[in-house]
Amino acid sequence: MASTFQAVKPFNTGRWVVWTLYALLLVAAPLLFKSSLSLTLLSQAGYLVIICLSYNILLGQGGMLSFGHAVYSGLGSFLAIHAMNLAASGRFYIPLSLIPLVGGLSGLFFAALLGYVSTKKAGTTFAMITLGMGELVFAMSLMFPEFFGGEAGITTNRAYGKPLWGITFGPQIQVYYLIAVYCFFCTAAMFAFTRTPLGRMLNAVRDNPERVEFIGYNPRCVRYHAFIIAGFFAGIGGGLAAINSEIVTAEVVGSVRSGSLLLFTFLGGATFFFGPILGAVLMVLALVWLSELSMAWLLYVGLMFLFMVMHAPGGIASLIVMNLRVASFGKLKTLWLGYLALAVTAFAALMGAAAMVEMIYHLQLNAAVGPELKFMGLTLNAIQSATWLSAGLVFLTGLGLFELARRRFVVQWSRIQDEIEDEIETEIKRRELL
Amino acid sequence: MTLEFFTISLLNGLSYGLLLFMLSAGLTLIFSMMGVLNFAHASFYMVGAYVAYSLSQVMGFWWSLLAAPLVVFALGAAFERFCLRRVHQFGHVPELLVTFGLSYLLLEVVQLIWGRAAVNYALPGELQGPLFTVFGIHFPKSRAFIMAISLVMLAGIWLLLTRTRIGLVIQAALTHPEMAQALGHNVPRIFMLVFGGGAALAGLAGVVGGNTFITEPAMAGSVGAIIFVVVVVGGLGSLSGAFLASILIGLIQTFAVAMDQSLMTLLGRFSVVVTPDTFGYPLLKLTISQVAPILPFLLLVLMLIFRPRGLLGTREG
């Protein structure tokens, strides 16, 4: 008998488990990584997760490639820091825990204002216009030093007002937990947004705007609303950033910041909801850890980005999901040898290439301190041809073996995919017979 | 506004506008033909300037004027062949992203090879000194040279596209790629040549712009956003629109940087006294020259509000 009622949704265990784990991870992270450096990194990752997720509302869910997203998070930072200074001077009172909402509302306001113009067009034109908007705001930041603080930026002190339950927000750990709470609820809210009718229409606008128009929706209107929502969450992230660092300079609205948001959101994976979370973590690691490690870090990030765009346009998230699929059919164990071969050869090739890049950088920038440089525990001499030869040899051998390993892996991978497809087919047939 | 200020600003504005046109012409060509917005276009301009700097020390400026665009052509064509063509199947956003990644890489590579400071890419002896003098102010030969090169280039592109067989094939390959392929033309190779050609135009702008202005790693960033404004304001894919828009923006910017009037002086004409306590003082005291950097972007915003398809654009999209 065909049911005329919509079936009651079963209790979604998997989702509850994932969200509980996410909350636990946010709570437990500072207990696992205790040093003050890791606490700083975790705080930064917390608000970057919000900003990257809000960026992905545009990029992943709406197909809008924005080059000016830092405008909304940055202006959120500025208004948040002004609100903090006003509150500290006693002109009106607002508790620090609500400051991120000030950032969010200002992000929303500016997104509503500038988005009205930017979302008039989609696709490539949208990209150019957002770039222009970003430049406009950045140029303005130098024109109004009263608001943007000029070169020095604006500073504040987050420990103002009477402490509530002994929380002063002076120690970093308290700020981390504030960020973590916002991070959790913003992530949940943005996930919920993907399930709303507007979120679904946004996907439709991304995939087929003409058809959306045909069934009576205005794609521009859908884009505009999504843009405003993304601006709101970006502003919250910006407000948290202002609380965390207690200083805001004009760079936070600049095109470099917008560019890195795009870069890392994409690297994390724009096609999956959780991709930008990975991207944000990667961004903190690259900006703090990789830039400490190597002067050529931007070169490495750029190369990795190009490689990902060309070979894995779904980002790291898609790689994980593809492997999870293989694992769920119990075939991952046949692949481990292939992965090992790939990893070892890629590592060799990378080390060879990185040694040469580091030597060039050393000659270019640090030649005054002598030709020797430290690289992965080795001491390289940048002017000896023997060093260059061996680095080149390692690189070429690694590259050659990697190519061989890759070809074998591709064959194996596609065979496994075929097997999985077959299994699904037989399962469907079996169910049809029942 | 005196006559001498007007004349000099007009000439400077025209030469800057024509340089902008050289930059945006390549971008417009690539965009209108392949639908690819080349984000690394300004980086090709920078690479052109740096390559010309290195080559001019070996073979002199005039030969490098020929050779540097060819090097950039080869770079652009190779990028199209090995990177852009691979992501073409994924759609427009990955195409844009791959050129965005290239702009990061080119900046790093240029800094790696030529260092982070400006290089001393000087004008050749023949282009130094004034061409003529008006009202006691010299107009440099190098600026006139930019104007001449730009006009020659405009004529060259126009003749190539409308009067030659290659131009016909290119135009056919853009609107009807399958048909052109069926007629025996190698469409992927045409795309590669078009992309390389567009990059070479940017390289040419770099050769003549690099020594007139300054050759430094920040030079790509300083024109990068402006040329997108030019292309949008002119109308996407319209070469004549790009010409009009670049002249317009060149003139607006050059005139604006030399004007120190502000709203405060305007109000002063109507005998309204503005003091630091007046409401909106930070806005009122801004001079036009201080506002100059944002004028192109304001033009972009106004254009989008009142005429979204651009000055001479035909497509609404």
PDB file of all heavy atoms in Angstrom, chain A residues 65 67 120-121 124-125 128 131 135 139 143 146 266 305-306 361 364, chain B residues 37 97 105 108 112-113 225 228 236 285 294 297 304-305 308 317:
ATOM      1  N   LEU A  65      32.890  32.700  -7.234  1.00  0.00           N
ATOM      2  CA  LEU A  65      34.306  32.791  -6.920  1.00  0.00           C
ATOM      3  C   LEU A  65      34.604  34.215  -6.498  1.00  0.00           C
ATOM      4  O   LEU A  65      34.771  35.090  -7.333  1.00  0.00           O
ATOM      5  CB  LEU A  65      35.104  32.396  -8.158  1.00  0.00           C
ATOM      6  CG  LEU A  65      36.589  32.307  -8.028  1.00  0.00           C
ATOM      7  CD1 LEU A  65      36.965  31.287  -6.997  1.00  0.00           C
ATOM      8  CD2 LEU A  65      37.171  31.924  -9.364  1.00  0.00           C
ATOM      9  N   PHE A  67      36.806  37.213  -4.880  1.00  0.00           N
ATOM     10  CA  PHE A  67      38.178  37.594  -4.581  1.00  0.00           C
ATOM     11  C   PHE A  67      38.214  38.708  -3.545  1.00  0.00           C
ATOM     12  O   PHE A  67      39.214  39.370  -3.386  1.00  0.00           O
ATOM     13  CB  PHE A  67      38.894  38.047  -5.849  1.00  0.00           C
ATOM     14  CG  PHE A  67      39.326  36.916  -6.707  1.00  0.00           C
ATOM     15  CD1 PHE A  67      38.555  36.512  -7.769  1.00  0.00           C
ATOM     16  CD2 PHE A  67      40.495  36.240  -6.449  1.00  0.00           C
ATOM     17  CE1 PHE A  67      38.947  35.456  -8.562  1.00  0.00           C
ATOM     18  CE2 PHE A  67      40.884  35.188  -7.233  1.00  0.00           C
ATOM     19  CZ  PHE A  67      40.112  34.795  -8.294  1.00  0.00           C
ATOM     20  N   LYS A 120      25.031  41.299  -8.999  1.00  0.00           N
ATOM     21  CA  LYS A 120      24.271  41.529 -10.232  1.00  0.00           C
ATOM     22  C   LYS A 120      24.692  40.571 -11.323  1.00  0.00           C
ATOM     23  O   LYS A 120      23.923  40.226 -12.210  1.00  0.00           O
ATOM     24  CB  LYS A 120      24.493  42.963 -10.718  1.00  0.00           C
ATOM     25  CG  LYS A 120      23.527  43.947 -10.103  1.00  0.00           C
ATOM     26  CD  LYS A 120      23.501  45.226 -10.902  1.00  0.00           C
ATOM     27  CE  LYS A 120      22.326  46.076 -10.448  1.00  0.00           C
ATOM     28  NZ  LYS A 120      22.237  47.327 -11.182  1.00  0.00           N
ATOM     29  N   LYS A 121      25.956  40.171 -11.287  1.00  0.00           N
ATOM     30  CA  LYS A 121      26.453  39.266 -12.311  1.00  0.00           C
ATOM     31  C   LYS A 121      26.977  38.006 -11.653  1.00  0.00           C
ATOM     32  O   LYS A 121      27.332  38.014 -10.483  1.00  0.00           O
ATOM     33  CB  LYS A 121      27.619  39.945 -13.053  1.00  0.00           C
ATOM     34  CG  LYS A 121      27.224  41.227 -13.714  1.00  0.00           C
ATOM     35  CD  LYS A 121      27.143  41.022 -15.169  1.00  0.00           C
ATOM     36  CE  LYS A 121      27.195  42.320 -15.924  1.00  0.00           C
ATOM     37  NZ  LYS A 121      27.622  42.134 -17.276  1.00  0.00           N
ATOM     38  N   THR A 124      32.419  34.637 -14.087  1.00  0.00           N
ATOM     39  CA  THR A 124      33.692  35.327 -14.195  1.00  0.00           C
ATOM     40  C   THR A 124      33.582  36.800 -13.842  1.00  0.00           C
ATOM     41  O   THR A 124      34.454  37.353 -13.183  1.00  0.00           O
ATOM     42  CB  THR A 124      34.200  35.183 -15.630  1.00  0.00           C
ATOM     43  OG1 THR A 124      34.020  33.837 -16.011  1.00  0.00           O
ATOM     44  CG2 THR A 124      35.621  35.537 -15.723  1.00  0.00           C
ATOM     45  N   THR A 125      32.489  37.425 -14.269  1.00  0.00           N
ATOM     46  CA  THR A 125      32.320  38.848 -13.988  1.00  0.00           C
ATOM     47  C   THR A 125      32.242  39.081 -12.498  1.00  0.00           C
ATOM     48  O   THR A 125      32.803  40.046 -11.982  1.00  0.00           O
ATOM     49  CB  THR A 125      31.022  39.357 -14.632  1.00  0.00           C
ATOM     50  OG1 THR A 125      30.808  38.633 -15.818  1.00  0.00           O
ATOM     51  CG2 THR A 125      31.126  40.811 -14.922  1.00  0.00           C
ATOM     52  N   MET A 128      35.631  39.281 -11.035  1.00  0.00           N
ATOM     53  CA  MET A 128      36.326  40.550 -11.274  1.00  0.00           C
ATOM     54  C   MET A 128      35.773  41.652 -10.407  1.00  0.00           C
ATOM     55  O   MET A 128      36.500  42.503  -9.894  1.00  0.00           O
ATOM     56  CB  MET A 128      36.185  40.936 -12.736  1.00  0.00           C
ATOM     57  CG  MET A 128      37.053  40.132 -13.642  1.00  0.00           C
ATOM     58  SD  MET A 128      37.246  40.948 -15.200  1.00  0.00           S
ATOM     59  CE  MET A 128      36.103  40.046 -16.155  1.00  0.00           C
ATOM     60  N   LEU A 131      36.852  41.446  -6.869  1.00  0.00           N
ATOM     61  CA  LEU A 131      38.246  41.899  -6.788  1.00  0.00           C
ATOM     62  C   LEU A 131      38.301  43.420  -6.727  1.00  0.00           C
ATOM     63  O   LEU A 131      39.011  44.011  -5.900  1.00  0.00           O
ATOM     64  CB  LEU A 131      39.029  41.390  -7.995  1.00  0.00           C
ATOM     65  CG  LEU A 131      40.494  41.751  -7.992  1.00  0.00           C
ATOM     66  CD1 LEU A 131      41.264  40.763  -7.168  1.00  0.00           C
ATOM     67  CD2 LEU A 131      41.050  41.805  -9.393  1.00  0.00           C
ATOM     68  N   GLU A 135      39.648  45.943  -3.714  1.00  0.00           N
ATOM     69  CA  GLU A 135      40.634  47.008  -3.902  1.00  0.00           C
ATOM     70  C   GLU A 135      40.077  48.346  -3.449  1.00  0.00           C
ATOM     71  O   GLU A 135      40.785  49.177  -2.871  1.00  0.00           O
ATOM     72  CB  GLU A 135      41.037  47.094  -5.373  1.00  0.00           C
ATOM     73  CG  GLU A 135      41.815  45.902  -5.871  1.00  0.00           C
ATOM     74  CD  GLU A 135      43.224  45.871  -5.310  1.00  0.00           C
ATOM     75  OE1 GLU A 135      43.800  46.944  -5.076  1.00  0.00           O
ATOM     76  OE2 GLU A 135      43.745  44.764  -5.110  1.00  0.00           O
ATOM     77  N   ALA A 139      41.823  50.525  -0.651  1.00  0.00           N
ATOM     78  CA  ALA A 139      42.296  51.884  -0.930  1.00  0.00           C
ATOM     79  C   ALA A 139      41.660  52.874   0.030  1.00  0.00           C
ATOM     80  O   ALA A 139      42.291  53.836   0.469  1.00  0.00           O
ATOM     81  CB  ALA A 139      41.987  52.258  -2.376  1.00  0.00           C
ATOM     82  N   MET A 143      42.680  55.967   3.109  1.00  0.00           N
ATOM     83  CA  MET A 143      42.178  57.333   3.040  1.00  0.00           C
ATOM     84  C   MET A 143      41.601  57.813   4.364  1.00  0.00           C
ATOM     85  O   MET A 143      41.558  59.004   4.626  1.00  0.00           O
ATOM     86  CB  MET A 143      41.084  57.431   1.972  1.00  0.00           C
ATOM     87  CG  MET A 143      41.619  57.650   0.579  1.00  0.00           C
ATOM     88  SD  MET A 143      40.376  57.266  -0.644  1.00  0.00           S
ATOM     89  CE  MET A 143      38.953  58.101  -0.024  1.00  0.00           C
ATOM     90  N   GLU A 146      41.377  57.808  10.469  1.00  0.00           N
ATOM     91  CA  GLU A 146      40.625  57.937  11.710  1.00  0.00           C
ATOM     92  C   GLU A 146      39.917  56.625  12.042  1.00  0.00           C
ATOM     93  O   GLU A 146      39.832  56.221  13.193  1.00  0.00           O
ATOM     94  CB  GLU A 146      39.582  59.055  11.600  1.00  0.00           C
ATOM     95  CG  GLU A 146      40.167  60.446  11.499  1.00  0.00           C
ATOM     96  CD  GLU A 146      40.469  60.823  10.059  1.00  0.00           C
ATOM     97  OE1 GLU A 146      40.352  59.945   9.176  1.00  0.00           O
ATOM     98  OE2 GLU A 146      40.828  61.984   9.805  1.00  0.00           O
ATOM     99  N   PHE A 266      39.842  26.255  -1.095  1.00  0.00           N
ATOM    100  CA  PHE A 266      39.865  25.321  -2.218  1.00  0.00           C
ATOM    101  C   PHE A 266      40.722  24.097  -1.902  1.00  0.00           C
ATOM    102  O   PHE A 266      40.331  22.970  -2.188  1.00  0.00           O
ATOM    103  CB  PHE A 266      40.403  26.024  -3.463  1.00  0.00           C
ATOM    104  CG  PHE A 266      40.406  25.136  -4.653  1.00  0.00           C
ATOM    105  CD1 PHE A 266      39.261  24.985  -5.412  1.00  0.00           C
ATOM    106  CD2 PHE A 266      41.526  24.413  -4.996  1.00  0.00           C
ATOM    107  CE1 PHE A 266      39.235  24.136  -6.485  1.00  0.00           C
ATOM    108  CE2 PHE A 266      41.509  23.566  -6.076  1.00  0.00           C
ATOM    109  CZ  PHE A 266      40.370  23.431  -6.822  1.00  0.00           C
ATOM    110  N   PHE A 305      48.847  24.192  -4.849  1.00  0.00           N
ATOM    111  CA  PHE A 305      47.538  24.659  -5.305  1.00  0.00           C
ATOM    112  C   PHE A 305      47.335  24.303  -6.778  1.00  0.00           C
ATOM    113  O   PHE A 305      46.312  23.725  -7.158  1.00  0.00           O
ATOM    114  CB  PHE A 305      47.461  26.161  -5.092  1.00  0.00           C
ATOM    115  CG  PHE A 305      46.170  26.773  -5.528  1.00  0.00           C
ATOM    116  CD1 PHE A 305      45.027  26.587  -4.787  1.00  0.00           C
ATOM    117  CD2 PHE A 305      46.094  27.538  -6.682  1.00  0.00           C
ATOM    118  CE1 PHE A 305      43.828  27.153  -5.182  1.00  0.00           C
ATOM    119  CE2 PHE A 305      44.907  28.103  -7.089  1.00  0.00           C
ATOM    120  CZ  PHE A 305      43.778  27.910  -6.331  1.00  0.00           C
ATOM    121  N   LEU A 306      48.338  24.602  -7.613  1.00  0.00           N
ATOM    122  CA  LEU A 306      48.229  24.289  -9.043  1.00  0.00           C
ATOM    123  C   LEU A 306      48.029  22.791  -9.239  1.00  0.00           C
ATOM    124  O   LEU A 306      47.188  22.351 -10.031  1.00  0.00           O
ATOM    125  CB  LEU A 306      49.497  24.717  -9.773  1.00  0.00           C
ATOM    126  CG  LEU A 306      49.522  26.120 -10.348  1.00  0.00           C
ATOM    127  CD1 LEU A 306      50.732  26.299 -11.220  1.00  0.00           C
ATOM    128  CD2 LEU A 306      48.270  26.369 -11.162  1.00  0.00           C
ATOM    129  N   TYR A 361      67.130  30.061  -2.980  1.00  0.00           N
ATOM    130  CA  TYR A 361      66.709  31.113  -2.064  1.00  0.00           C
ATOM    131  C   TYR A 361      67.865  31.565  -1.192  1.00  0.00           C
ATOM    132  O   TYR A 361      68.030  32.748  -0.919  1.00  0.00           O
ATOM    133  CB  TYR A 361      65.551  30.625  -1.182  1.00  0.00           C
ATOM    134  CG  TYR A 361      64.213  31.016  -1.713  1.00  0.00           C
ATOM    135  CD1 TYR A 361      63.620  30.289  -2.725  1.00  0.00           C
ATOM    136  CD2 TYR A 361      63.549  32.130  -1.217  1.00  0.00           C
ATOM    137  CE1 TYR A 361      62.390  30.654  -3.234  1.00  0.00           C
ATOM    138  CE2 TYR A 361      62.328  32.500  -1.713  1.00  0.00           C
ATOM    139  CZ  TYR A 361      61.749  31.765  -2.726  1.00  0.00           C
ATOM    140  OH  TYR A 361      60.545  32.122  -3.234  1.00  0.00           O
ATOM    141  N   GLN A 364      70.089  33.709  -3.116  1.00  0.00           N
ATOM    142  CA  GLN A 364      69.454  34.981  -3.442  1.00  0.00           C
ATOM    143  C   GLN A 364      69.400  35.926  -2.235  1.00  0.00           C
ATOM    144  O   GLN A 364      69.636  37.105  -2.363  1.00  0.00           O
ATOM    145  CB  GLN A 364      68.038  34.673  -3.944  1.00  0.00           C
ATOM    146  CG  GLN A 364      67.223  35.845  -4.353  1.00  0.00           C
ATOM    147  CD  GLN A 364      67.754  36.516  -5.598  1.00  0.00           C
ATOM    148  OE1 GLN A 364      68.344  37.579  -5.516  1.00  0.00           O
ATOM    149  NE2 GLN A 364      67.567  35.899  -6.742  1.00  0.00           N
TER     150      GLN A 364
ATOM    151  N   LEU B  37      39.134  33.939 -18.032  1.00  0.00           N
ATOM    152  CA  LEU B  37      39.636  35.171 -17.447  1.00  0.00           C
ATOM    153  C   LEU B  37      41.024  34.880 -16.902  1.00  0.00           C
ATOM    154  O   LEU B  37      41.172  34.145 -15.943  1.00  0.00           O
ATOM    155  CB  LEU B  37      38.717  35.633 -16.330  1.00  0.00           C
ATOM    156  CG  LEU B  37      39.197  36.895 -15.659  1.00  0.00           C
ATOM    157  CD1 LEU B  37      38.997  38.060 -16.582  1.00  0.00           C
ATOM    158  CD2 LEU B  37      38.478  37.114 -14.382  1.00  0.00           C
ATOM    159  N   LEU B  97      40.870  29.479 -11.381  1.00  0.00           N
ATOM    160  CA  LEU B  97      41.720  29.140 -10.244  1.00  0.00           C
ATOM    161  C   LEU B  97      43.129  28.798 -10.690  1.00  0.00           C
ATOM    162  O   LEU B  97      44.105  29.150 -10.030  1.00  0.00           O
ATOM    163  CB  LEU B  97      41.119  27.968  -9.484  1.00  0.00           C
ATOM    164  CG  LEU B  97      39.915  28.294  -8.616  1.00  0.00           C
ATOM    165  CD1 LEU B  97      39.314  27.032  -8.064  1.00  0.00           C
ATOM    166  CD2 LEU B  97      40.323  29.213  -7.497  1.00  0.00           C
ATOM    167  N   LEU B 105      52.635  31.826  -8.390  1.00  0.00           N
ATOM    168  CA  LEU B 105      53.905  31.195  -8.743  1.00  0.00           C
ATOM    169  C   LEU B 105      54.836  32.169  -9.448  1.00  0.00           C
ATOM    170  O   LEU B 105      56.019  32.249  -9.123  1.00  0.00           O
ATOM    171  CB  LEU B 105      53.642  30.022  -9.678  1.00  0.00           C
ATOM    172  CG  LEU B 105      53.422  28.690  -9.028  1.00  0.00           C
ATOM    173  CD1 LEU B 105      53.479  27.611 -10.072  1.00  0.00           C
ATOM    174  CD2 LEU B 105      54.468  28.417  -7.976  1.00  0.00           C
ATOM    175  N   GLU B 108      56.515  34.556  -7.130  1.00  0.00           N
ATOM    176  CA  GLU B 108      57.587  33.930  -6.354  1.00  0.00           C
ATOM    177  C   GLU B 108      58.812  33.660  -7.220  1.00  0.00           C
ATOM    178  O   GLU B 108      59.945  33.875  -6.800  1.00  0.00           O
ATOM    179  CB  GLU B 108      57.087  32.623  -5.740  1.00  0.00           C
ATOM    180  CG  GLU B 108      56.342  32.812  -4.447  1.00  0.00           C
ATOM    181  CD  GLU B 108      57.203  33.460  -3.372  1.00  0.00           C
ATOM    182  OE1 GLU B 108      58.255  32.895  -3.047  1.00  0.00           O
ATOM    183  OE2 GLU B 108      56.818  34.524  -2.868  1.00  0.00           O
ATOM    184  N   LEU B 112      62.532  35.021  -6.944  1.00  0.00           N
ATOM    185  CA  LEU B 112      63.624  34.060  -6.802  1.00  0.00           C
ATOM    186  C   LEU B 112      64.758  34.392  -7.757  1.00  0.00           C
ATOM    187  O   LEU B 112      65.934  34.325  -7.411  1.00  0.00           O
ATOM    188  CB  LEU B 112      63.060  32.663  -7.099  1.00  0.00           C
ATOM    189  CG  LEU B 112      63.876  31.467  -6.699  1.00  0.00           C
ATOM    190  CD1 LEU B 112      64.099  31.494  -5.219  1.00  0.00           C
ATOM    191  CD2 LEU B 112      63.116  30.206  -7.080  1.00  0.00           C
ATOM    192  N   ILE B 113      64.413  34.751  -8.989  1.00  0.00           N
ATOM    193  CA  ILE B 113      65.445  34.962  -9.995  1.00  0.00           C
ATOM    194  C   ILE B 113      66.042  36.365  -9.889  1.00  0.00           C
ATOM    195  O   ILE B 113      67.253  36.543  -9.917  1.00  0.00           O
ATOM    196  CB  ILE B 113      64.868  34.734 -11.411  1.00  0.00           C
ATOM    197  CG1 ILE B 113      64.344  33.310 -11.527  1.00  0.00           C
ATOM    198  CG2 ILE B 113      65.948  34.989 -12.466  1.00  0.00           C
ATOM    199  CD1 ILE B 113      63.669  33.019 -12.829  1.00  0.00           C
ATOM    200  N   ALA B 225      44.424  44.870 -10.606  1.00  0.00           N
ATOM    201  CA  ALA B 225      42.999  45.114 -10.408  1.00  0.00           C
ATOM    202  C   ALA B 225      42.471  46.137 -11.405  1.00  0.00           C
ATOM    203  O   ALA B 225      41.330  46.041 -11.859  1.00  0.00           O
ATOM    204  CB  ALA B 225      42.750  45.589  -8.984  1.00  0.00           C
ATOM    205  N   PHE B 228      41.269  44.738 -14.694  1.00  0.00           N
ATOM    206  CA  PHE B 228      39.949  44.098 -14.618  1.00  0.00           C
ATOM    207  C   PHE B 228      38.849  45.151 -14.660  1.00  0.00           C
ATOM    208  O   PHE B 228      37.807  44.950 -15.281  1.00  0.00           O
ATOM    209  CB  PHE B 228      39.833  43.259 -13.356  1.00  0.00           C
ATOM    210  CG  PHE B 228      40.641  42.004 -13.424  1.00  0.00           C
ATOM    211  CD1 PHE B 228      41.575  41.703 -12.466  1.00  0.00           C
ATOM    212  CD2 PHE B 228      40.473  41.129 -14.482  1.00  0.00           C
ATOM    213  CE1 PHE B 228      42.324  40.560 -12.541  1.00  0.00           C
ATOM    214  CE2 PHE B 228      41.222  39.979 -14.566  1.00  0.00           C
ATOM    215  CZ  PHE B 228      42.155  39.698 -13.589  1.00  0.00           C
ATOM    216  N   LEU B 236      32.605  43.349 -21.346  1.00  0.00           N
ATOM    217  CA  LEU B 236      33.385  42.112 -21.456  1.00  0.00           C
ATOM    218  C   LEU B 236      33.541  41.683 -22.903  1.00  0.00           C
ATOM    219  O   LEU B 236      32.568  41.571 -23.631  1.00  0.00           O
ATOM    220  CB  LEU B 236      32.689  41.001 -20.678  1.00  0.00           C
ATOM    221  CG  LEU B 236      32.936  40.990 -19.181  1.00  0.00           C
ATOM    222  CD1 LEU B 236      32.150  39.890 -18.544  1.00  0.00           C
ATOM    223  CD2 LEU B 236      34.412  40.823 -18.908  1.00  0.00           C
ATOM    224  N   LYS B 285      37.509  66.881   4.202  1.00  0.00           N
ATOM    225  CA  LYS B 285      38.865  67.409   4.007  1.00  0.00           C
ATOM    226  C   LYS B 285      39.654  66.627   2.969  1.00  0.00           C
ATOM    227  O   LYS B 285      40.743  67.033   2.598  1.00  0.00           O
ATOM    228  CB  LYS B 285      39.612  67.426   5.339  1.00  0.00           C
ATOM    229  CG  LYS B 285      40.097  66.061   5.768  1.00  0.00           C
ATOM    230  CD  LYS B 285      41.085  66.212   6.911  1.00  0.00           C
ATOM    231  CE  LYS B 285      41.737  64.974   7.258  1.00  0.00           C
ATOM    232  NZ  LYS B 285      41.748  63.870   7.666  1.00  0.00           N
ATOM    233  N   ILE B 294      40.949  55.340  -5.612  1.00  0.00           N
ATOM    234  CA  ILE B 294      39.710  54.567  -5.630  1.00  0.00           C
ATOM    235  C   ILE B 294      38.806  54.951  -6.801  1.00  0.00           C
ATOM    236  O   ILE B 294      37.791  54.306  -7.029  1.00  0.00           O
ATOM    237  CB  ILE B 294      38.920  54.691  -4.314  1.00  0.00           C
ATOM    238  CG1 ILE B 294      38.357  56.090  -4.145  1.00  0.00           C
ATOM    239  CG2 ILE B 294      39.755  54.309  -3.117  1.00  0.00           C
ATOM    240  CD1 ILE B 294      37.206  56.100  -3.170  1.00  0.00           C
ATOM    241  N   PHE B 297      37.696  52.225  -9.213  1.00  0.00           N
ATOM    242  CA  PHE B 297      36.783  51.247  -8.621  1.00  0.00           C
ATOM    243  C   PHE B 297      35.401  51.850  -8.413  1.00  0.00           C
ATOM    244  O   PHE B 297      34.390  51.165  -8.539  1.00  0.00           O
ATOM    245  CB  PHE B 297      37.379  50.717  -7.322  1.00  0.00           C
ATOM    246  CG  PHE B 297      38.756  50.167  -7.513  1.00  0.00           C
ATOM    247  CD1 PHE B 297      39.848  50.790  -6.965  1.00  0.00           C
ATOM    248  CD2 PHE B 297      38.959  49.044  -8.303  1.00  0.00           C
ATOM    249  CE1 PHE B 297      41.122  50.304  -7.177  1.00  0.00           C
ATOM    250  CE2 PHE B 297      40.224  48.558  -8.513  1.00  0.00           C
ATOM    251  CZ  PHE B 297      41.309  49.185  -7.949  1.00  0.00           C
ATOM    252  N   LEU B 304      28.290  49.371 -12.902  1.00  0.00           N
ATOM    253  CA  LEU B 304      27.486  48.177 -12.653  1.00  0.00           C
ATOM    254  C   LEU B 304      26.068  48.540 -12.254  1.00  0.00           C
ATOM    255  O   LEU B 304      25.128  47.807 -12.537  1.00  0.00           O
ATOM    256  CB  LEU B 304      28.125  47.344 -11.553  1.00  0.00           C
ATOM    257  CG  LEU B 304      29.308  46.556 -12.037  1.00  0.00           C
ATOM    258  CD1 LEU B 304      30.085  46.006 -10.874  1.00  0.00           C
ATOM    259  CD2 LEU B 304      28.844  45.431 -12.920  1.00  0.00           C
ATOM    260  N   ILE B 305      25.926  49.688 -11.577  1.00  0.00           N
ATOM    261  CA  ILE B 305      24.580  50.074 -11.166  1.00  0.00           C
ATOM    262  C   ILE B 305      23.778  50.573 -12.371  1.00  0.00           C
ATOM    263  O   ILE B 305      22.632  50.192 -12.567  1.00  0.00           O
ATOM    264  CB  ILE B 305      24.649  51.157 -10.071  1.00  0.00           C
ATOM    265  CG1 ILE B 305      25.263  50.558  -8.806  1.00  0.00           C
ATOM    266  CG2 ILE B 305      23.264  51.693  -9.743  1.00  0.00           C
ATOM    267  CD1 ILE B 305      25.529  51.565  -7.724  1.00  0.00           C
ATOM    268  N   PRO B 308      25.107  47.718 -16.537  1.00  0.00           N
ATOM    269  CA  PRO B 308      25.888  46.537 -16.156  1.00  0.00           C
ATOM    270  C   PRO B 308      26.653  45.885 -17.304  1.00  0.00           C
ATOM    271  O   PRO B 308      27.600  45.160 -17.054  1.00  0.00           O
ATOM    272  CB  PRO B 308      24.835  45.572 -15.612  1.00  0.00           C
ATOM    273  CG  PRO B 308      23.678  46.404 -15.281  1.00  0.00           C
ATOM    274  CD  PRO B 308      23.697  47.563 -16.208  1.00  0.00           C
ATOM    275  N   GLY B 317      25.358  39.331 -18.873  1.00  0.00           N
ATOM    276  CA  GLY B 317      25.474  37.980 -18.329  1.00  0.00           C
ATOM    277  C   GLY B 317      26.192  37.908 -17.025  1.00  0.00           C
ATOM    278  O   GLY B 317      26.685  38.853 -16.530  1.00  0.00           O
TER     279      GLY B 317
END
